[in-house]
Amino acid sequence: MIFWKIIYNLILLPLLFAMFCTGSLFLEKIRLGMIGRFRSYQDLKSFMERTGTGKTIYWFHASSHGEFEQVKPVLAGLKEVEPLSFSVVSFFSPSGYNHVNDEHIDCKIYLPFDFPWLIRKCLNLVQPKKIILAAYDVWPNLIWVSRSMGIHSALFAAQFSEGTSKLSPVIRNFYRNVYGSLSAIYTISEQDNKRLQRILHPMKRPIVRVLGNPRYDQVKQKSDNFTTERTESVLLRPKRLIAGSIHTEDEHVILDSIVNLMRDIKDLTLVWVPHEPSDRIVSEAESFFQLKHFTTARLGLNNPDQIETRVIIVDSIGKLSQLYWDGQVAYIGGGFSSGVHNVMEPAIARLPVFFGPYHKNFNEAKELIADGGGFSIENGTALYEGIKNLFENRVTFIKASYAATEVIHRNLGSATRVVRNLIHD
């Protein structure tokens, strides 16, 4: 372990820090994160002055807004069991820090820089009972220093994809020292568990359990706000395609096929949701669809049913999970670039879900495909043919809709299991 601590702290971490400093000169997202990290200790100090010493504090960490969807039901469950406890939630990305507002968060910060002296300083200040990490954003010094201070650290919703680089000889040795310093790791599936055991071998530490993905519970909880108002069959909704979390790479593949679908299916409308709905990106989408002779409107504060244009363009964040309940079929972006985004939200809304080929790291996408509720496409033609087939075959559509929702219901209960084990392990 000493070898890897030296390599990480004297070579890898300084290189990473230099890259972030350079990137902050050109990219606002990186710059915001850097500025936020410089004030994290002061934010923690202010929180502790308000809270006082001797309190039970849990420190949660999520990389971004998406990963907080896994944290949220666990955080709520823990607060229910220990109502007098406090929670610190740290984020790596501005998308989490800027857009997550939750009643159960007592202190929200950017994750401090992973320098060992700074991590120790922050942990000495807060004295958390446990550090709880979501999914994959594991920072070595945070784990190593926690262990040296006797602070319990747990990673939940852990996922290890087939062919992960963490199983290659040198990288595996590094991660064995990192994961082996955690107190507990809760994986999503048995396959994840087996890959983790290969990384850890021959270490006997930490506690490892298969507890599922709490994100299913969060998706179900959010959907409960809409299901009472939308008990009718998905086929009774408007014939509408919801294109959610669209990246530039998705546009290159699917735009022409969506235009052809809308020309061939005259009553089909579209809700277009850019991953980052800046004014420039929204304006470009408006121009594209108008050039194709489709009427467009920005969603603003309206509901889709209040707008009669063929294309509705979403110009703000935080609305996508509700919009799925106003459609019949969904395409989810990211599958031609960084990896497919949240396919659970359209699935719980009973929508057959289409997405690109980069989904191998997402168990929920693989389950949807296996059950017939999700469809991976390699090109725009496959999207055109797949959606047209669903609209032309009622039985096929209903089967896909049911299969999508069934995947969610089959995986519920993970948040409760995670909370139970966090308390007892």
Side-chain angles (χ1 to χ4, degrees):
M1 183 181 292
I2 294 176
F3 170 78
W4 283 114
K5 284 185 178 180
I6 293 172
I7 294 295
Y8 178 71
N9 285 299
L10 295 185
I11 299 175
L12 298 179
L13 187 57
L15 281 173
L16 191 62
F17 184 73
M19 289 171 58
F20 279 121
C21 288
T22 304
S24 68
L25 299 175
F26 305 99
L27 297 173
E28 183 182 16
K29 183 180 287 189
I30 297 177
R31 185 163 56 252
L32 288 173
M34 292 289 286
I35 294 170
R37 265 172 268 283
F38 277 113
R39 67 167 187 263
S40 291
Y41 179 78
Q42 190 58 48
D43 289 344
L44 288 172
K45 189 175 180 180
S46 299
F47 167 67
M48 293 306 297
E49 288 172 354
R50 296 193 307 271
T51 304
T53 58
K55 302 296 194 298
T56 298
I57 298 175
Y58 292 96
W59 184 322
F60 285 84
H61 175 66
S63 175
S64 65
H65 187 274
E67 281 64 47
F68 184 74
E69 293 295 293
Q70 294 168 313
V71 170
K72 187 167 184 173
V74 176
L75 175 59
L78 200 55
K79 283 277 193 174
E80 187 174 336
V81 175
E82 297 193 27
L84 298 180
S85 66
F86 292 85
S87 63
V88 172
V89 179
S90 59
F91 294 94
F92 179 78
S93 166
S95 73
Y97 183 85
N98 291 334
H99 301 303
V100 169
N101 294 293
D102 187 274
E103 60 180 335
H104 297 112
I105 298 177
D106 298 298
C107 177
K108 180 174 67 171
I109 62 168
Y110 278 98
L111 183 72
F113 295 110
D114 199 40
F115 298 116
W117 58 269
L118 180 57
I119 293 296
R120 187 174 296 275
K121 185 180 179 182
C122 291
L123 294 182
N124 271 325
L125 174 66
V126 177
Q127 294 289 316
K129 182 177 181 179
K130 294 187 177 183
I131 293 176
I132 304 163
L133 312 171
Y136 62 83
D137 203 36
V138 176
W139 289 86
N141 280 324
L142 178 62
I143 305 306
W144 289 331
V145 173
S146 299
R147 183 181 180 185
S148 72
M149 294 177 64
I151 299 172
H152 182 102
S153 59
L155 172 67
F156 73 93
Q159 189 170 351
F160 303 92
S161 60
E162 185 178 354
T164 175
S165 61
K166 293 174 184 178
L167 286 170
S168 59
V170 176
I171 298 177
R172 173 175 171 263
N173 196 288
F174 172 72
Y175 277 103
R176 182 193 300 128
N177 283 275
V178 176
Y179 289 128
S181 297
L182 286 158
S183 307
I185 301 177
Y186 308 136
T187 65
I188 290 178
S189 70
E190 287 290 350
Q191 290 77 16
D192 297 316
N193 184 27
K194 290 175 182 177
R195 291 173 192 129
L196 174 60
Q197 296 293 355
R198 288 170 60 192
I199 294 171
L200 292 173
H201 181 79
M203 296 181 72
K204 300 301 181 184
R205 177 187 167 98
I207 298 167
V208 177
R209 307 186 195 280
V210 180
L211 299 183
N213 190 349
R215 195 168 192 170
Y216 286 103
D217 300 277
Q218 174 60 12
V219 167
K220 176 62 167 61
Q221 189 174 23
K222 288 171 70 175
S223 76
D224 287 343
N225 298 325
F226 312 110
T227 51
T228 55
E229 300 173 8
R230 291 167 169 80
T231 55
E232 76 277 4
S233 166
V234 65
L235 286 173
L236 297 180
R237 300 177 196 166
K239 188 175 288 185
R240 183 180 287 136
L241 166 63
I242 313 293
S245 301
I246 301 300
H247 290 229
T248 302
E249 293 85 354
D250 296 292
E251 294 178 2
H252 296 157
V253 176
I254 68 170
L255 268 176
D256 288 341
S257 295
I258 288 177
V259 167
N260 290 333
L261 270 170
M262 295 179 69
R263 284 173 175 165
D264 292 347
I265 305 174
K266 301 301 182 183
D267 57 344
L268 176 64
T269 59
L270 171 69
V271 174
W272 184 260
V273 190
H275 177 54
E276 294 184 353
S278 66
D279 190 63
R280 178 184 62 82
I281 290 174
V282 170
S283 295
E284 288 176 354
E286 283 178 323
S287 297
F288 174 84
F289 288 110
Q290 288 169 6
L291 285 171
K292 300 297 181 180
H293 307 293
F294 295 119
T295 53
T296 69
R298 298 190 183 193
L299 180 64
L301 299 176
N302 299 303
N303 293 320
D305 290 340
Q306 296 173 308
I307 300 173
E308 297 183 357
T309 57
R310 289 292 300 277
V311 179
I312 299 172
I313 301 170
V314 178
D315 50 353
S316 60
I317 65 169
K319 298 179 179 178
L320 188 52
S321 63
Q322 301 177 29
L323 291 172
Y324 292 125
W325 293 89
D326 291 297
Q328 287 192 338
V329 66
Y331 172 85
I332 304 304
F336 287 96
S337 52
S338 57
V340 67
H341 286 281
N342 191 339
V343 296
M344 299 182 197
E345 289 177 343
I348 193 65
R350 309 172 195 153
L351 273 59
V353 189
F354 291 80
F355 41 83
Y358 296 163
H359 60 264
K360 300 298 188 295
N361 294 340
F362 302 89
N363 285 333
E364 57 271 23
K366 291 187 281 189
E367 284 195 60
L368 283 170
I369 293 171
D371 282 32
F375 307 89
S376 175
I377 62 164
E378 298 286 340
N379 50 56
T381 301
L383 178 67
Y384 174 91
E385 293 175 349
I387 292 178
K388 201 161 190 298
N389 178 58
L390 288 177
F391 283 137
E392 290 177 349
N393 295 276
R394 183 186 178 93
V395 173
T396 303
F397 186 102
I398 291 295
K399 285 182 177 178
S401 172
Y402 176 81
T405 307
E406 180 60 22
V407 167
I408 306 299
H409 286 281
R410 189 171 64 232
N411 285 281
L412 295 177
S414 173
T416 301
R417 293 191 293 271
V418 170
V419 170
R420 186 184 302 127
N421 283 275
L422 282 173
I423 292 171
H424 294 297
D425 282 344

